[in-house]
Amino acid sequence: GRAAMRLAASVKTTDPARWRQVRQYFIAANRIDPDNAEALQLYYSSFAASGTEPTKNAEVALLRAYEITPFDLGTRMTAAMVLLHRHDAAHARTVLATVAYNPHAGNLGKAASLIMDALDKGGPDAALALFSPATDDATKKDGAGPDKS
């Protein structure tokens, strides 16, 4: 699934059928092991890779991945973003705090702290404005999340 997703993303395909095919790998992995957080995370990530908004099912999958692996800082950050989209500011803040106050979180911790400040001052929309590709890159560089390359 991961290779199919990278290939589809590398050729910048926008074909919905191709992306459905990519997602089938993650769905199959989830059927084999419903508690495989990596399959759930990758299913959610496939929407960003395809340039489309995640579905409600994708959000549920991501939040389930967070439940399974609360120690994964990258999944935590993505879960916080989903919660902010849902305007669940209190829960998002709790999720972000663990990253912000983690002494080993590096740039991801700094980003979480800035996002929490924006949330406190301007609400979910202000916090969401700070999520960017740079935040996603920090997630990968800090070794968080399933895609560490």
Side-chain angles (χ1 to χ4, degrees):
R2 185 187 303 255
M5 184 166 70
R6 285 192 181 177
L7 181 60
S10 72
V11 297
K12 298 180 179 20
T13 185
T14 58
D15 179 14
R18 178 121 182 235
W19 284 105
R20 277 192 300 276
Q21 184 181 25
V22 167
R23 291 183 187 107
Q24 286 304 311
Y25 290 107
F26 306 128
I27 292 168
N30 181 249
R31 284 191 182 123
I32 292 168
D33 182 1
D35 290 333
N36 181 334
E38 183 177 24
L40 296 166
Q41 169 72 24
L42 289 169
Y43 177 76
Y44 178 86
S45 297
S46 71
F47 287 89
S50 70
T52 59
E53 285 291 317
T55 63
K56 293 290 180 192
N57 281 345
E59 289 181 354
V60 169
L62 187 280
L63 293 174
R64 176 64 183 136
Y66 161 66
E67 288 175 1
I68 296 167
T69 57
F71 51 83
D72 184 309
L73 301 181
T75 301
R76 238 179 210 283
M77 290 293 286
T78 309
M81 185 174 63
V82 168
L83 293 166
L84 289 168
H85 275 290
R86 293 178 170 194
H87 291 279
D88 186 352
H91 194 185
R93 189 177 200 299
T94 300
V95 171
L96 286 165
T98 301
V99 181
Y101 301 128
N102 182 325
H104 307 288
N107 289 336
L108 200 56
K110 292 173 190 170
S113 183
L114 290 171
I115 293 166
M116 282 176 48
D117 288 343
L119 177 61
D120 293 343
K121 293 175 184 169
D125 291 334
L128 279 169
L130 294 181
F131 275 95
S132 68
T135 307
D136 295 339
D137 289 344
T139 299
K140 291 175 186 168
K141 285 178 187 166
D142 282 348
D147 187 0
K148 297 174 182 80
S149 60

